[in-house]
Amino acid sequence: MSGSLDSSLDRYVQAGMIAVKLRPLAEKLVKSGASVAEICESIEEETRRLGGKPAFPVNVCVGSVAAHFTAPPEGGHVISDGDLVKVDFGAMVDGFIVDTAVSVNLSPMDSGIVRAAGDCLEAGIASARAGVEVAKVGAAIQRTAESAGFKVISNLTGHEISRHNLHAGGVVPNVERGYRGKVQAGKVYAIEPFLTYSYGAGFVVESSPSVIFRLARSRPRDPAQAALHSKIAGSFGTLPFAERWLKLSGEEKEAFKRLVDAGCVSKYPQLVEKNGAAVAQAEHTVAVLPEKTIVLTR
Ligand code: MN
Ligand code: MN
């Protein structure tokens, strides 16, 4: 696929239509007392019911956790009053992926951060035309955040998406400086500003434990590990997956741990705001055509 979406646009649109239906469900599921497992599983199940596959585990990130958290196999995480919650999910049809996120603020005081994240996303989308420098998109997002009194998370970016590949190389920054390249016609991008408060550091750092993984290239020699490696390859290819999706037996849990330690499975560490400030996120996937940019997930 070089420079044209002719043959794949219909399936991107199909995946987008699934995500459009999932967004209000995600917003409705976020309430005080809801378990993270319940939110993840409901959205993943609905994705399948609507004819798609989850492109990655539904991420439910609370407060200062910005990205890469999903229900761990043992469960136990519950949403509380006051939480700022991001629900980030992907729908895939025939390998064509869309990626979108909603934020819900359960704080009794509305700080406006969720609305501001949405405004940043709209500003980013409006500027993401074919041939525009990606730095211009970042500048539009950053300017919108700062004029509302918030900071962008500078080291999280939007990304190009290609078939079976959630992070396909191209980057859509949320800041003006530090990124080169142009928005290209015939490509699909997720645009995803993350905002925090003025007392935040404005960047995320890695934290533990990791609950989202992907297969790495190296194959294990040990038969138990090799069997698990093949099972993962067959089910998810190199797309992100949750440990809970594997439904591991006790023995397999050990093999899985060794696959991770050996680097045959890579982790996506949780990403947390450096100063512990709460983070809001907004995300849509767009298809860039020569003459216009289409938002697939709204
Ligand atoms: Mn996402
Ligand atoms: Mn994304």
Side-chain angles (χ1 to χ4, degrees):
M1 187 180 76
S2 61
S4 168
L5 282 166
D6 291 351
S7 59
S8 51
L9 190 58
D10 58 334
R11 280 159 297 172
Y12 274 119
V13 168
Q14 262 182 37
M17 280 162 50
I18 294 171
V20 166
K21 291 180 183 151
L22 295 172
R23 287 175 57 91
L25 171 66
E27 284 174 334
K28 197 183 81 182
L29 287 167
V30 175
K31 52 188 180 225
S32 180
S35 80
V36 169
E38 197 171 288
I39 297 171
C40 294
E41 283 161 15
S42 301
I43 297 170
E44 288 163 5
E45 203 178 294
E46 187 65 5
T47 309
R48 292 189 196 94
R49 203 188 64 81
L50 292 167
K53 280 186 186 169
F56 51 87
V58 171
N59 282 220
V60 177
C61 296
V62 175
S64 64
V65 182
H68 300 168
F69 189 79
T70 189
E74 68 277 14
H77 290 256
V78 175
I79 305 298
S80 305
D81 282 326
D83 283 346
L84 175 50
V85 183
K86 284 76 63 188
V87 184
D88 187 336
F89 51 92
M92 181 165 67
V93 171
D94 195 20
F96 296 94
I97 298 168
V98 297
D99 180 5
T100 190
V102 298
S103 288
V104 178
N105 196 354
L106 298 177
S107 165
M109 298 272 283
D110 180 15
S111 65
I113 194 169
V114 170
R115 195 168 49 248
D119 291 345
C120 287
L121 176 57
E122 292 308 320
I125 291 169
S127 61
R129 308 286 159 192
V132 168
E133 295 281 343
V134 295
K136 286 254 190 321
V137 181
I141 290 170
Q142 185 171 15
R143 204 182 312 121
T144 305
E146 290 174 359
S147 67
F150 298 103
K151 270 186 186 170
V152 287
I153 299 292
S154 58
N155 61 341
L156 289 176
T157 69
H159 47 96
E160 184 187 340
I161 297 173
S162 64
R163 195 177 185 189
H164 299 292
N165 191 354
L166 181 59
H167 293 107
V171 161
V172 184
N174 295 316
V175 291
E176 181 173 8
R177 292 176 189 281
Y179 293 89
R180 288 171 178 279
K182 287 180 177 169
V183 175
Q184 290 178 36
K187 290 198 168 177
V188 170
Y189 299 90
I191 303 178
E192 52 179 317
F194 291 80
L195 267 56
T196 191
Y197 294 98
S198 54
Y199 53 88
F203 62 95
V204 290
V205 292
E206 293 185 352
S207 181
S208 58
S210 298
V211 286
I212 302 175
F213 303 89
R214 71 176 181 280
L215 214 58
R217 284 196 196 286
S218 47
R219 277 188 58 85
R221 295 227 178 107
D222 171 82
Q225 290 176 47
L228 186 53
H229 191 276
S230 303
K231 178 175 153 182
I232 295 169
S235 304
F236 316 118
T238 54
L239 284 168
F241 63 90
E243 189 182 340
R244 70 185 151 81
W245 283 1
L246 301 173
K247 299 199 179 358
L248 300 173
S249 67
E251 267 173 39
E252 286 177 320
K253 265 190 196 306
E254 275 310 304
F256 183 70
K257 200 174 164 302
R258 286 198 297 272
L259 277 177
V260 175
D261 291 343
C264 300
V265 166
S266 313
K267 307 178 204 182
Y268 286 94
Q270 286 183 62
L271 299 172
V272 179
E273 211 286 325
K274 172 70 167 52
N275 287 357
V279 175
Q281 174 197 16
E283 181 175 25
H284 276 307
T285 297
V286 302
V288 179
L289 306 182
E291 72 287 4
K292 63 179 173 185
T293 294
I294 300 173
V295 184
L296 295 166
T297 48
R298 120 178 124 198

